[in-house]
Amino acid sequence: MGNYERHRFQDESLPVLFHLDHVSRQTGALPHWHENIELLYCIAGQGEAVIDSRPVPLREGGLTIVNSSRVHYTKALSDQVSYYCLILDSALLEKFDLYVEQREFTEFVTDEEIKTRFERIIQEMKDKQICYEAVVKGEIAALMAYLSRHCSSWLKTEGKNNMVKLGMQYIKKHYRESISLDEVARAAGFSRYYFCRGFKNVTGYTVNEYLQYHRCREAERLLRETDCTVSDAAVKCGFDDVSYFTKIFKKQTGTLPSHVKKEGHI
């Protein structure tokens, strides 16, 4: 399985990752996966996004969609392929009642409406004029609503991937609380043994490892972006013991929470 890619959205007012990528025959990305949906809009050349071992076109004027939690990488079929990469925080989309983790999007689409909206996003992100964040969020909402209506279907209830996503959604909603493996498995609709085994097979992480990771990610955000003390962040993210929180945080991030707190106020 590919490496897990952790996303950090630096701008809270516009929680997206947006960049222009160039891939040649000599260069390429390692297989990886993440929870957020990824949109690749090709502007030149020809290539492929290999998604769960299946080749999906990267073609000029087309939109390639990497659904949540899919192992993927890109490669060039021409000398070079260039594309804009837009990764969206699920929390942003949920503000518009768009729950993309519950839908399966068509992996390659060509449509004038989609092209027009994505190119507006590109232009706004380049120009960064006053209130561009609001315009970009509006265009993203309109684009994802269009894709949800015309280029997606509801995920089937069976299958390990959907089971894992339901477990992740439960953890994201309840990570501040004291939750058990049985509760997470029950929320996903499976026995504890089957759920834990399937979760590990799909993600490479145990349920407890993922819960600790998510708690530490949220604690890191609080330490960097708010006035929370280390103790406050620990409690708000589901840790009863600050010493244990410090140990797990160091294991997950490679640094101490006190160091993150200092860096956040430089």
Side-chain angles (χ1 to χ4, degrees):
M1 186 166 186
N3 293 324
Y4 178 78
E5 184 176 281
R6 179 183 181 184
H7 293 147
R8 291 183 179 180
F9 300 99
Q10 302 292 343
D11 187 351
E12 205 172 71
S13 65
L14 186 58
V16 304
L17 298 177
F18 180 79
H19 47 83
L20 177 61
D21 289 335
H22 306 282
V23 177
S24 69
R25 293 183 190 272
Q26 290 74 39
T27 63
L30 292 173
H32 61 283
W33 68 279
H34 44 73
E35 296 159 29
N36 299 301
I37 192 167
E38 181 173 340
L39 309 180
L40 308 176
Y41 181 72
C42 185
I43 59 171
Q46 188 172 349
E48 288 178 346
V50 181
I51 304 173
D52 283 349
S53 303
R54 292 173 289 97
V56 179
L58 264 177
R59 191 180 305 150
E60 187 172 346
L63 185 70
T64 303
I65 303 176
V66 181
N67 285 285
S68 172
S69 301
R70 299 299 174 85
V71 177
H72 61 282
Y73 64 94
T74 57
K75 66 178 185 179
L77 299 180
S78 55
D79 289 340
Q80 180 173 279
V81 59
S82 301
Y83 55 88
Y84 281 96
C85 174
L86 177 63
I87 298 174
L88 306 172
D89 185 4
S90 296
L92 169 64
L93 297 174
E94 287 170 7
K95 291 179 180 178
F96 297 100
D97 293 325
L98 295 166
Y99 298 92
V100 298
E101 292 178 349
Q102 299 175 11
R103 303 195 71 84
E104 180 79 9
F105 289 86
T106 304
E107 292 177 326
F108 180 74
V109 290
T110 54
D111 182 296
E112 283 303 314
E113 175 77 11
I114 293 168
K115 181 177 179 181
T116 298
R117 292 205 174 276
F118 204 100
E119 289 182 351
R120 285 178 185 164
I121 293 171
I122 293 171
Q123 199 60 51
E124 288 291 334
M125 293 295 284
K126 282 183 177 179
D127 295 344
K128 288 185 167 55
Q129 295 184 23
I130 187 170
C131 298
Y132 82 94
E133 297 97 335
V135 176
V136 169
K137 283 189 283 190
E139 291 293 343
I140 286 172
L143 172 62
M144 293 309 301
Y146 183 88
L147 289 171
S148 296
R149 179 176 290 179
H150 300 287
C151 307
S152 76
S153 59
W154 288 104
L155 283 170
K156 296 179 181 179
T157 55
E158 66 270 18
K160 285 185 179 179
N161 283 344
N162 194 50
M163 174 188 74
V164 168
K165 289 174 185 176
L166 289 172
M168 287 179 169
Q169 288 171 5
Y170 185 86
I171 287 171
K172 288 179 180 179
K173 186 175 181 180
H174 298 280
Y175 71 92
R176 298 178 183 88
E177 306 163 19
S178 176
I179 57 177
S180 67
L181 289 175
D182 287 327
E183 288 173 317
V184 182
R186 190 161 52 246
F190 292 87
S191 70
R192 171 175 169 168
Y193 174 75
Y194 183 85
F195 174 75
C196 290
R197 186 176 62 175
F199 194 99
K200 174 72 172 179
N201 288 342
V202 171
T203 67
Y205 292 86
T206 68
V207 179
N208 277 329
E209 286 171 343
Y210 179 81
L211 174 60
Q212 290 175 351
Y213 156 75
H214 189 73
R215 283 173 166 167
C216 288
R217 183 177 70 171
E218 290 302 313
E220 183 179 21
R221 183 185 65 79
L222 290 174
L223 291 170
R224 290 188 185 279
E225 301 173 6
T226 74
D227 292 327
C228 274
T229 65
V230 171
S231 297
D232 289 339
V235 171
K236 288 185 177 183
C237 294
F239 291 94
D240 295 326
D241 183 89
V242 177
S243 297
Y244 180 70
F245 165 63
T246 300
K247 177 183 176 181
I248 297 301
F249 190 95
K250 176 93 183 303
K251 180 180 177 181
Q252 290 285 341
T253 67
T255 190
L256 294 170
S258 56
H259 291 170
V260 173
K261 186 62 182 174
K262 288 178 182 178
E263 291 171 0
H265 287 76
I266 291 175

